[in-house]
């Protein structure tokens, strides 16, 4: 008698029971007409209130993070005593690659790729 195959069968049965319970949990709100109506109300609320609020919130978070990064760059530039602003953020570089840290990383990659 192979014990590993019997343990695999019981494990498969357990996974099957879990799947049935998960399906019942998801479909239970549709069991009665009042709970089905609540599901529709919740969906309508999400479509009319939650989804329209998400893009402005995400945009706000992006702008705050970008502003914080630029502020940190400005503080670093100020405290360094340097007069060369392009060493910290070069606006002439493509696709935002002008940030001092990106410039340093790109230079490291370029030096490794063009090793002589």
């Amino acid at each position: 008698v192979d014990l590993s195959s019997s343990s695999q069968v019981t494990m498969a049965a357990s996974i099957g029971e879990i799947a049935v319970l998960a399906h019942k949990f998801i479909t239970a709100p549709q069991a009665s007409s009042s709970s089905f109506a609540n599901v529709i109300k919740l969906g309508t609320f999400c479509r009319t209130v939650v989804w329209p609020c998400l893009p402005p919130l995400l945009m706000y978070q992006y702008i705050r993070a970008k502003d914080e990064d630029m502020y940190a760059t400005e503080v670093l530039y100020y405290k360094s005593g340097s007069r060369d602003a392009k060493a910290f953020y070069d606006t002439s570089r493509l696709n935002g690659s002008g940030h001092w840290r990106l410039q340093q990383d790109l230079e490291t990659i370029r030096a490794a790729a063009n090793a002589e």
Side-chain angles (χ1 to χ4, degrees):
V1 176
D2 187 12
L3 293 177
S4 64
S5 65
S6 65
S7 65
Q8 288 176 347
V9 169
T10 56
M11 187 170 72
S14 302
I15 292 173
E17 289 175 18
I18 291 171
V20 168
L21 284 174
H23 182 263
K24 285 181 181 178
F25 179 74
I26 292 170
T27 58
Q30 299 175 10
S32 68
S33 60
S34 65
S35 59
F36 187 74
N38 287 337
V39 169
I40 292 172
K41 288 177 187 175
L42 182 64
T44 303
F45 176 76
C46 286
R47 276 194 316 275
T48 57
V49 176
V50 175
W51 285 117
C53 292
L54 278 179
L57 284 174
L58 294 173
M59 201 60 184
Y60 175 70
Q61 290 297 326
Y62 171 77
I63 291 169
R64 281 189 59 204
K66 196 72 165 164
D67 188 44
E68 185 178 329
D69 183 44
M70 288 300 169
Y71 175 73
T73 304
E74 288 175 13
V75 168
L76 180 65
Y77 169 65
Y78 174 76
K79 292 205 178 212
S80 72
S82 174
R83 295 284 161 230
D84 184 20
K86 289 202 181 249
F88 293 90
Y89 195 87
D90 189 358
T91 55
S92 65
R93 308 268 312 237
L94 294 175
N95 296 331
S97 63
H99 191 278
W100 70 273
R101 189 68 184 170
L102 279 173
Q103 289 180 29
Q104 182 182 8
D105 294 345
L106 289 171
E107 182 58 30
T108 302
I109 292 168
R110 189 201 62 75
N114 298 326
E116 296 172 13

